[in-house]
């Protein structure tokens, strides 16, 4: 089960990073087109396309960032608790994280559905397309987080642990901020 979850997680990570990388290229090209064409006749759609690709890029990259432990956690209070209390707090933190992701997915889909009839005039696309980035990104994060709960490397990003990888900057550790 652990190897299957790890394989799915790795494939999901690669797919997300590939999509985010492609969107980065589109974003850079769009911004450069907008900047260099300002001296002649700038296309009015460049700003909107740059915004949309930026949001989608960030939301697609959020799941791999979660897997690689790139999200910050402040654990100064949790680290000072006794072991039993720490386990309870970490379990509550896990449930809170999953609940927030589920809420964001639901609210994102609800808002996207409400905006399905509106169009972005400069691009001629429905507003629901850029708005889908939030529920899709949150769903990918939830899937990634759940997969990490069943893999041995899940301790790197598991919100139930309070251990972080060794940091070269001891100031962060002294203030209870741990890099994961």
């Amino acid at each position: 089960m652990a190897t299957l979850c790890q394989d799915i997680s790795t494939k999901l990570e690669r797919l997300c990073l590939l999509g985010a990388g492609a969107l980065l290229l589109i974003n850079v090209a769009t911004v450069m087109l907008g900047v260099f064409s300002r001296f002649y006749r700038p296309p009015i759609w460049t700003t909107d396309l740059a915004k949309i690709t930026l949001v989608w890029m960030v939301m697609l990259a959020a799941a791999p960032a979660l897997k690689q432990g790139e999200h910050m956690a402040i654990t100064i209070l949790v680290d000072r608790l006794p072991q039993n209390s720490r386990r309870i707090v970490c379990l509550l933190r896990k449930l809170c994280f999953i609940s927030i992701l589920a809420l964001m997915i639901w609210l994102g889909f609800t808002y996207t559905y409400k905006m399905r009839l509106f169009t972005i005039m400069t691009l001629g696309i429905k507003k629901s397309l850029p708005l889908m980035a939030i529920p899709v990104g949150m769903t990918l994060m939830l899937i990634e987080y759940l997969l990490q709960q069943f893999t041995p490397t899940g301790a790197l990003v598991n919100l139930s642990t309070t251990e972080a990888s060794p940091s070269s900057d001891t100031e962060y550790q002294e203030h209870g901020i741990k890099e994961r």
Side-chain angles (χ1 to χ4, degrees), residues 25-71:
L25 293 175
I26 293 169
N27 186 280
V28 169
T30 303
V31 170
M32 289 179 68
L33 174 66
V35 168
F36 290 122
S37 65
R38 284 190 184 175
F39 302 109
Y40 182 62
R41 284 187 165 183
I44 59 173
W45 52 266
T46 56
T47 304
D48 288 333
L49 185 59
K51 289 177 190 176
I52 291 168
T53 55
L54 180 68
V55 170
W56 269 98
M57 177 180 53
V58 168
M59 295 311 298
L60 285 178
L66 179 69
K67 179 182 179 183
Q68 295 171 8
E70 297 296 328
H71 294 274

Side-chain angles (χ1 to χ4, degrees), residues 16-118:
C16 288
L17 290 175
L18 181 67
L23 288 169
L24 176 63
L25 293 175
I26 293 169
N27 186 280
V28 169
T30 303
V31 170
M32 289 179 68
L33 174 66
V35 168
F36 290 122
S37 65
R38 284 190 184 175
F39 302 109
Y40 182 62
R41 284 187 165 183
I44 59 173
W45 52 266
T46 56
T47 304
D48 288 333
L49 185 59
K51 289 177 190 176
I52 291 168
T53 55
L54 180 68
V55 170
W56 269 98
M57 177 180 53
V58 168
M59 295 311 298
L60 285 178
L66 179 69
K67 179 182 179 183
Q68 295 171 8
E70 297 296 328
H71 294 274
M72 184 178 75
I74 300 174
T75 60
I76 189 169
L77 296 175
V78 177
D79 288 345
R80 295 178 185 201
L81 292 173
Q83 189 65 25
N84 289 336
S85 299
R86 186 181 309 170
R87 285 187 184 132
I88 293 169
V89 169
C90 290
L91 177 63
L92 290 174
R93 187 173 30 179
K94 252 188 195 182
L95 294 174
C96 182
F97 184 68
I98 291 171
S99 299
I100 289 171
L101 287 176
L103 178 66
M104 291 298 294
I105 292 166
W106 180 72
L107 291 174
F109 276 121
T110 302
Y111 188 62
T112 300
Y113 181 75
K114 288 179 183 178
M115 300 301 285
R116 74 189 184 284
L117 301 175
F118 297 97

